Amino acid sequence: MAGIKENIVVFEHETLRFDKGEKKITKDQFEALERYYGNGKPFYKLVYNGVQFNEHVGVIQVGNTLIEVLPKADKIPHSKEEDKKWRNLLIGMLRTVGSFDIKSTSSSNLKIKPNTILDLYFELFIKEVEYLFHNGLVKKYRKKEENITTLKGSLQFSKHIQQNLIHKERFYVRHSIYDVEHTLHFIIYKALRLLKQINSNNDLHSRIGVLLLNFPEMPDIKVSDSTFEKLIYNRKNKHYQKAIEIAKLLLLKYHPDVSKGKNHVLALMFDMNLLWEQFIYASLKKNTTDFIKIKAQSSKFFWKPENGRRTAMKPDIFIETYDGNIVLDTKWKNLNGFNPSPDDLRQMYVYHEYYDANKVALVYPGDNKNSKAGVYLKKDGKHDSKICSVVLINVEDEVLKWQEEIRRIIKQFASTK
C-alpha cells in the first residue's frame, strides 16, 4: 500500500458512491469495501453502487485513499473548519478514554500532532516499541533443532541417522536457546513492517526506519485472534502489553486485497455510542471530589431462570452522591427537539426502581438550553417523586472545554432539587 494520495472526509451515516455525488470512491475501491464487508464488519452497509456508514467513526484506508468517518452532533454542513473541529474532537475523545481499545495507553507525551486516527495509533505503537528498546528486549527460552558439531541437549536419533551417515562429526540435537526470538517479537516485527508499508506521515517515517534497522529480523508469522489469546503475560513481559494490544488492532484489522492486489483495506473504527459513554464517564471521573462514587456499567442481576444464566441490567453510569443515587444512560444522537423513545424512558423507570435512584437522566449531545426536566406519573396521573430528565451536553470546540462542560452540567443536574 503506497502513501495516502487522497483523503475523503464524511460524517457518520453519510453515503459514498462511485457513480455520483460530490465525494466519490472508485469502482475498484467499492469492490474492495464490498469484499471487506463480507468479513462481517459492521462499519457500513452496502447500498446501490456504494456504502452507507452507520454510528461507527474512525478511518478506513483503501489502497492509497483514506476515508475518514467523523462524528456529527449538529446540522452544520461540511467545511474545512467543521471537518477539522470534529477530527480533533474525535482524536481527543479517544485519547481521553485511553485510546478506547487499548488498555491504559497514555498519549500525553506524543511527539507529533496527529492529523488522523491512523497517525495517533501509529505513534502510540512506535512510542511503545521505542520504550521496549530503551529497557532492553526480553529474552525467552526456546527449543531448537539443528545439525551441529557439538553434542548438547538431546540427540534426535532418527534424524541423526538420516543426516549423518557420512558426517560422523555432526550431531542432530534438540536444545534450549535463550534469546529474543519469540512470539511477542514476531508480532511487533510484523506490525513494524506493516507500518512501513502503509504509513504516510513524514514525521514517523524515520522513526519506523530506525526501529526496523535495529530490531532483530524475525520470521514472518500468520496472526489471528488465537495468536493473541495464547499469549501469557508475567512480571518480565507485562510492559509489552500496550504495544501488543496496538499491534493486534492494526494486524487483525488489515485485510490484504488478495484478488486485486492493490486496494488493501485497514479499518480502525469505533462505535460512537460506546465512545460517548466512555467519554462522559472519563470526564466525570476527572474530578472525583464532585461525587462520592462513580461507576461505569454497574451490573445487577434481576432475573434467574430455573436453569441457565441469570440476566443482568447495566446502566451506563451510576453515581453516588450525598443526596442519593443517580443513574445516567448516554445516547449519541441529536434529539432535534423531540422526546426520547418510550423504550428508553421505560428503561430509565426500571433503573429508578432497581437502583433505588432518586434521579435518572438520558444524556445526549446538544444545546443545554433545550434540556428537559421530567417526572414519572403515578397510576392516577399525578406527579411521582421519580425524576427522569433529558440532559443535553453542549459540544465545545476543544476536548478539555467539553469535559468541563460535561462536569458542570451533570453536577448542576445532581444538585437540582
Side-chain angles (χ1 to χ4, degrees), residues 37 39 43 57 91 118 145 159 162 174 327 377 382 385 410:
Y37 182 82
N39 290 296
F43 310 140
V57 297
I91 291 173
L118 275 185
E145 290 189 6
K159 291 182 180 179
Q162 290 172 9
R174 189 182 189 203
V327 172
L377 301 176
K382 295 180 180 178
S385 59
I410 298 301

Side-chain angles (χ1 to χ4, degrees), residues 338-372:
F338 293 99
N339 289 328
S341 73
D343 285 344
D344 288 340
L345 291 169
R346 280 192 283 266
Q347 180 70 55
M348 299 310 289
Y349 184 84
V350 174
Y351 290 155
H352 238 309
E353 291 290 322
Y354 211 72
Y355 282 81
D356 194 25
N358 64 331
K359 289 182 182 179
V360 297
L362 290 156
V363 183
Y364 301 84
D367 188 345
N368 182 245
K369 294 176 183 176
N370 297 324
S371 291
K372 299 179 181 180

Side-chain angles (χ1 to χ4, degrees), residues 201-266:
N201 189 310
N202 291 328
D203 294 325
L204 298 178
H205 273 310
S206 60
R207 290 168 68 184
I208 295 170
V210 168
L211 286 172
L212 279 171
L213 186 65
N214 291 284
F215 206 95
E217 189 171 343
M218 297 287 161
D220 189 23
I221 62 168
K222 289 185 177 180
V223 294
S224 63
D225 284 316
S226 63
T227 307
F228 296 92
E229 289 167 3
K230 292 175 184 175
L231 295 177
I232 298 174
Y233 295 100
N234 54 37
R235 180 180 54 83
K236 287 183 66 177
N237 64 14
K238 186 71 175 175
H239 58 298
Y240 273 70
Q241 194 163 359
K242 293 179 184 178
I244 295 297
E245 287 289 335
I246 307 173
K248 176 182 177 181
L249 192 71
L250 297 174
L251 292 172
L252 294 187
K253 296 196 175 183
Y254 174 72
H255 288 253
D257 188 4
V258 181
S259 60
K260 298 288 184 179
K262 60 180 181 179
N263 285 319
H264 309 306
V265 177
L266 171 66

Side-chain angles (χ1 to χ4, degrees), residues 74-89:
D74 54 40
K75 291 186 175 182
I76 301 174
H78 276 285
S79 67
K80 286 186 177 180
E81 293 74 19
E82 190 69 7
D83 293 353
K84 182 180 178 181
K85 166 192 167 182
W86 284 105
R87 181 184 298 115
N88 290 340
L89 286 176

Side-chain angles (χ1 to χ4, degrees), residues 10-11 13-17 23 47-48 50-53:
V10 296
F11 289 127
H13 304 293
E14 281 193 48
T15 298
L16 274 180
R17 291 173 55 164
K23 299 175 183 179
V47 296
Y48 181 69
V51 296
Q52 182 180 15
F53 299 98

Side-chain angles (χ1 to χ4, degrees), residues 139-143 176-182 236:
K139 294 181 179 181
K140 285 186 176 183
Y141 282 104
R142 64 184 175 92
K143 295 292 185 182
S176 296
I177 295 179
Y178 187 64
D179 63 9
V180 295
E181 194 169 311
H182 51 79
K236 287 183 66 177

Side-chain angles (χ1 to χ4, degrees), residues 57-58 68-71 83-101 105-108 110 112-121 124 270 272 274-283 286 332 395-404 406-407:
V57 297
E68 287 187 87
V69 186
L70 301 178
D83 293 353
K84 182 180 178 181
K85 166 192 167 182
W86 284 105
R87 181 184 298 115
N88 290 340
L89 286 176
L90 177 57
I91 291 173
M93 290 174 78
L94 289 167
R95 280 178 156 170
T96 299
V97 303
S99 301
F100 209 50
D101 276 350
T105 299
S106 170
S107 58
S108 58
L110 294 182
I112 69 165
K113 184 177 181 180
N115 296 315
T116 69
I117 296 172
L118 275 185
D119 292 343
L120 172 64
Y121 273 84
L124 283 171
F270 306 88
M272 198 59 208
L274 295 176
L275 182 54
W276 176 237
E277 174 192 328
Q278 292 283 331
F279 182 64
I280 294 285
Y281 174 70
S283 301
K286 199 169 183 179
W332 179 259
V395 178
E396 299 292 334
D397 56 359
E398 293 178 17
V399 167
L400 289 178
K401 289 182 181 177
W402 201 3
Q403 289 186 278
E404 289 172 3
I406 289 168
R407 290 196 296 273

Side-chain angles (χ1 to χ4, degrees), residues 142-161 163-164 169-177:
R142 64 184 175 92
K143 295 292 185 182
K144 184 176 182 181
E145 290 189 6
E146 57 182 340
N147 208 17
I148 56 177
T149 57
T150 306
L151 179 59
K152 58 180 178 180
S154 59
L155 183 68
Q156 305 299 293
F157 192 75
S158 60
K159 291 182 180 179
H160 173 70
I161 296 297
Q163 299 195 25
N164 295 327
E169 77 284 1
R170 294 181 183 173
F171 305 92
Y172 195 94
V173 297
R174 189 182 189 203
H175 60 103
S176 296
I177 295 179

